[in-house]
Amino acid sequence: MFIKPLIEVAFEIRFTPKSDLSTKLLLEANKKFSNIIRVANLEGLKIPEEVKNHQPDLNFIPSYKVISENFSLLISNGSLVVLANCLTEQYQGWDKFKLIIKEITDILNENKALEGINRFSLKYTNLFEEDYLNKIKLSFDIRLGNKNITSKENFNLKSEIEEDNILISTSILSKIGLENTCDITGNKTNKVGLLLVIDIIKGFEVYKEFDVAPEIEKLHTKVSKQFLDIYPDFKGE
């Protein structure tokens, strides 16, 4: 047997804006997408611009959350994060999700509002529920001395591997409780099990207008390979 453990897919692009950008990006997103349900104001709006100028990391704190039928979008002065919740059917497969990413990154290219791109990343969050852990085989081993650590015990494992100038970050945590909230309805789903997070990060030294499609395909290929290395019996996307 195999299960589909995917909880959420997230694409993030971080950049250096030329000016206060979050409100402009919100307006552009409203123009581009017709199926927006609502917009929520977030913590980043409360931080004065002069404070953000002196503490650049604060530019990554989201000012708005745009909620659509098939994605959610976090907007800050220094980043855009595209989210798709797999438990609420926001995520409808990679082929559709990558088109959303392209439409959103096109906003940046069209407005030429950036000093530079710092990085972009693709993150897949998976949770293998405890009821299934004894029925499937995951391919990783943890050993302390002569003792094998199994998924029945508490552990927190993280690895970072650089490959082709791309960072592959993998986190595996056992006995994790996760609350998943639907952005559209507010309904909550609780799960407990083994959490697997694969985050593929690509950095840029300088900004240039780019075609995002081949770049994100490279990230998706590496996510898929890492996932199948850990869960080789999986059949599906």
Side-chain angles (χ1 to χ4, degrees):
M1 69 169 295
F2 76 96
I3 62 170
K4 294 184 177 180
L6 193 57
I7 299 290
E8 182 182 76
V9 179
F11 172 83
E12 179 187 36
I13 184 166
R14 291 190 177 190
F15 44 80
T16 305
K18 290 181 179 176
S19 60
D20 175 17
L21 192 58
S22 59
T23 301
K24 183 177 181 180
L25 292 177
L26 173 64
L27 293 173
E28 293 298 325
N30 271 313
K31 288 181 194 174
K32 187 172 281 284
F33 298 101
S34 61
N35 58 352
I36 290 175
I37 297 171
R38 68 176 182 276
V39 175
N41 293 341
L42 300 180
E43 196 64 29
L45 274 180
K46 301 176 184 177
I47 303 173
E49 288 304 310
E50 57 269 23
V51 175
K52 293 178 182 177
N53 291 336
H54 287 93
Q55 299 182 56
D57 284 352
L58 297 179
N59 282 304
F60 301 128
I61 298 176
S63 296
Y64 303 101
K65 187 172 191 177
V66 177
I67 298 164
S68 165
E69 292 176 2
N70 50 5
F71 70 92
S72 297
L73 176 65
L74 296 174
I75 301 175
S76 72
N77 272 1
S79 68
L80 292 172
V81 183
V82 190
L83 303 165
N85 190 329
C86 304
L87 299 184
T88 62
E89 298 184 355
Q90 258 191 331
Y91 184 71
Q92 297 180 8
W94 173 246
D95 286 342
K96 291 185 178 179
F97 187 66
K98 70 182 180 184
L99 294 178
I100 295 168
I101 293 173
K102 186 178 187 312
E103 286 188 88
I104 289 171
T105 54
D106 280 349
I107 293 173
L108 299 176
N109 277 335
E110 290 162 5
N111 285 275
K112 302 185 185 302
L114 309 184
E115 293 287 357
I117 287 180
N118 306 120
R119 59 177 246 187
F120 61 88
S121 61
L122 186 63
K123 180 167 71 174
Y124 276 53
T125 300
N126 305 270
L127 190 130
F128 297 87
E129 292 185 82
E130 289 188 338
D131 291 347
Y132 291 100
L133 285 174
N134 291 329
K135 302 174 184 177
I136 63 173
K137 180 174 176 54
L138 299 179
S139 182
F140 66 91
D141 296 307
I142 307 174
R143 189 176 181 86
L144 292 176
N146 59 2
K147 179 176 174 58
N148 288 320
I149 307 299
T150 71
S151 58
K152 295 179 181 179
E153 298 164 275
N154 285 316
F155 63 85
N156 183 335
L157 176 67
K158 182 170 183 177
S159 71
E160 291 187 347
I161 300 168
E162 190 165 333
E163 184 179 282
D164 302 327
N165 295 317
I166 292 173
L167 183 67
I168 303 170
S169 174
T170 306
S171 299
I172 305 176
L173 299 87
S174 67
K175 295 187 176 298
I176 293 296
L178 183 146
E179 183 178 81
N180 182 276
T181 303
C182 175
D183 283 338
I184 298 172
T185 65
N187 293 339
K188 299 180 185 299
T189 303
N190 292 292
K191 291 178 175 288
V192 177
L194 184 131
L195 186 69
L196 168 63
V197 180
I198 302 172
D199 196 4
I200 311 294
I201 302 165
K202 169 72 174 178
F204 279 82
E205 293 182 1
V206 295
Y207 172 71
K208 59 182 179 179
E209 189 169 316
F210 66 99
D211 179 5
V212 72
E215 299 292 343
I216 61 173
E217 283 294 350
K218 292 176 189 175
L219 301 194
H220 182 251
T221 298
K222 290 191 180 294
V223 168
S224 299
K225 181 180 183 303
Q226 185 74 346
F227 180 77
L228 288 171
D229 283 348
I230 295 170
Y231 184 22
D233 293 334
F234 180 74
K235 296 177 178 61
E237 185 186 352

